[in-house]
Amino acid sequence: MVEISEDLARQAACVPALERLRRLVAFVGSGRAVTQAGNLKKADALALVAVLGTDDDVDGNGDGDVSTMADLPGVAFAFRWATHCGLLTRRGNRIVAGELAGYLDDDPVSAWFMAAATLVRQGVMGGLEDGWRPAYVDFLDRGVPDLLRVLAEHGPATVGSARDTAWAEVAETFGLEPDDGRRRRQVDRVVEAMLARLEATGVVARTGDDVAITDLGRALALLFDWDDDDDFDDDDDFGDDDEDDFEFDVDLDVEVDLVDADAQFLLAICADLDVEEAEEALADWCGAREPEEAAGELARAVEEDPELFTLALDAFSLLGPAAVGAVRRLQTQPGLRPLATFWLVKHGLEGPQALSEEDHTAMLVDMLAMLASSGDDEVVDGLEGLGPVGEQLRVVELLSGADHDKASLMLEVIGRAHPRKAVATAARRAAVRRR
């Protein structure tokens, strides 16, 4: 058994996530109205942003961008967490404090164990989130008990080593290339977010780049040692025979409902589809949402990962006038301004003079970078599609002076892959000059 000392109880009472759950239960009080789906109404969800101190963006986007609780992911996560661990319960069309809510004040260490165990069993990153999520998120979630045991047995680890281990396991399990930088970055972000959530829950503590298990986390690791067979459902196995579960490599022949995917995942999938399949997926996804809702999701995905913007342009076009506000918001951000302005010009909402020569060059680099994600040959094909050798040399010249962090990389790709000696040589020389 785990000995519950006064010190452990004191630590539990001070955990930031537990305090947030305590404020949530207090806010619900004797009851709040919920939707048919069991979610809080918009007004209460908005009020909780300040009550809980979440990072949900209300002031920056305006309340008009919030249509449901799902548009406030921090609030939605806390609400689902409290409901799953019994701190809140639904009665008819209202949500009220659950039978276990009293533990928050009377027995905080028990309340902490309920909350922390629920988080790990449900899935630290995926289990309490709304909408579709890539299979690798579930895979990483299932490894959290093992992570806690390793930290408990072997002591602190570095964030870098945690990222390295996670990527190695994901790449091996789902048959990915070890040097796949784009997917590696996506996995890294999940690992960072997972560690941050475990830290806020009091399971681990971070000092600089070091991650150590806390006394509470050590007790939780023992709990999962007693209860190995019940940590997760056994419906899905992630082994060598299940590589198709990694949805980055999926094609539309695999039974995956992209309509329910989040925007960032949808756009990442479309990068691996051919043009017709991508257009079909985008059209289905946009058609399943209110246009303003879809535009807001797409804008947030692009803000999170600007490399997806080129893919998002067609989706914004499908949404028509409803997308204008979201695109104008993206236009205010320096790195996103060229493509946002291009979209507005294309749809007659800005004059051609709105695009400077620098904007044209930035869009060119972004286009080539998107092609590069599919291989060097795609960059060469895209360049040759722009015209004869003289036009391609002009592109190399533009790249040589471009104020863009990927211009040098594109020159290196052209220099090593282009079959025309004049273009390849010019690109190599330009790359050297930039260095």
Side-chain angles (χ1 to χ4, degrees), residues 295-307:
E297 285 191 46
L298 288 166
R300 287 190 288 274
V302 171
E303 289 169 337
E304 176 72 20
D305 188 351
E307 293 183 10

Side-chain angles (χ1 to χ4, degrees), residues 133-147:
R133 59 185 179 271
Y136 80 92
V137 175
D138 289 332
F139 175 78
L140 293 174
D141 276 342
R142 293 165 73 93
V144 168
D146 286 336
L147 170 65

Side-chain angles (χ1 to χ4, degrees), residues 49-394:
V49 173
V51 172
L52 302 182
T54 68
D55 293 330
D56 297 320
D57 185 3
V58 175
D59 295 334
N61 299 330
D63 293 357
D65 287 346
V66 178
S67 57
T68 67
M69 186 180 74
D71 293 323
L72 302 168
V75 169
F77 173 80
F79 181 80
R80 295 189 190 99
W81 190 6
T83 303
H84 274 82
C85 63
L87 298 175
L88 296 177
T89 190
R90 182 176 179 178
R91 292 181 183 168
N93 63 351
R94 295 179 69 78
I95 193 79
V96 299
E99 294 182 2
L100 303 180
Y103 282 107
L104 288 166
D105 294 319
D106 300 338
D107 189 358
V109 74
S110 294
W112 183 87
F113 270 106
M114 289 188 301
T118 296
L119 179 67
V120 175
R121 284 199 174 99
Q122 290 292 324
V124 174
M125 292 308 301
L128 298 171
E129 301 289 351
D130 191 25
W132 184 267
R133 59 185 179 271
Y136 80 92
V137 175
D138 289 332
F139 175 78
L140 293 174
D141 276 342
R142 293 165 73 93
V144 168
D146 286 336
L147 170 65
L148 301 185
R149 292 171 188 135
V150 168
L151 292 175
E153 293 174 9
H154 301 288
T158 65
V159 175
S161 66
R163 290 199 305 257
D164 290 344
T165 299
W167 170 244
E169 292 177 352
V170 167
E172 179 180 3
T173 300
F174 296 105
L176 303 178
E177 293 296 328
D179 60 353
D180 189 332
R182 178 169 63 87
R183 291 164 178 167
R184 167 68 192 262
R185 288 192 297 273
Q186 291 168 326
V187 171
D188 283 350
R189 284 197 292 269
V190 173
V191 172
E192 290 276 4
M194 178 180 287
L195 292 174
R197 188 161 280 175
L198 288 172
E199 181 180 23
T201 309
V203 177
V204 302
R206 287 183 59 171
T207 304
D209 192 48
D210 290 332
V211 179
I213 195 166
T214 64
D215 292 338
L216 287 167
R218 195 178 302 275
L220 185 67
L222 289 174
L223 171 67
F224 282 99
D225 272 344
W226 305 330
D227 201 14
D228 274 345
D229 293 337
D230 195 35
D231 287 355
F232 292 94
D233 294 333
D234 294 326
D235 295 338
D236 297 311
D237 294 322
F238 294 92
D240 294 336
D241 295 330
D242 294 299
E243 291 181 3
D244 284 341
D245 283 341
F246 192 93
E247 304 306 345
F248 283 125
D249 289 329
V250 76
D251 57 42
L252 292 184
D253 293 330
V254 181
E255 295 182 4
V256 176
D257 188 3
L258 289 177
V259 168
D260 294 328
D262 63 54
Q264 187 173 0
F265 178 57
L266 171 80
L267 294 174
I269 288 291
C270 287
D272 291 332
L273 301 178
D274 63 34
V275 174
E276 290 184 0
E277 289 175 330
E279 290 176 349
E280 179 183 349
L282 290 173
D284 290 344
W285 187 90
C286 290
R289 290 160 175 76
E290 291 296 324
E292 291 80 4
E293 174 192 359
E297 285 191 46
L298 288 166
R300 287 190 288 274
V302 171
E303 289 169 337
E304 176 72 20
D305 188 351
E307 293 183 10
L308 298 175
F309 200 175
T310 305
L311 294 162
L313 292 176
D314 288 340
F316 282 128
S317 296
L318 289 170
L319 297 171
V324 174
V327 175
R328 287 201 181 280
R329 191 174 85 222
L330 296 174
Q331 190 186 24
T332 64
Q333 303 182 38
L336 302 175
R337 195 185 75 81
L339 283 174
T341 304
F342 168 76
W343 188 90
L344 294 168
V345 170
K346 179 181 177 182
H347 290 81
L349 300 168
E350 298 271 7
Q353 69 278 4
L355 282 169
S356 66
E357 184 175 349
E358 290 78 12
D359 291 335
H360 283 287
T361 302
M363 287 190 296
L364 174 64
V365 178
D366 287 332
M367 181 198 75
L368 293 174
M370 184 184 72
L371 293 173
S373 66
S374 300
D376 292 359
D377 290 344
E378 293 294 325
V379 175
V380 172
D381 289 345
L383 193 61
E384 295 211 290
L386 296 176
V389 171
E391 290 297 321
Q392 296 180 49
L393 289 172
R394 170 63 178 157

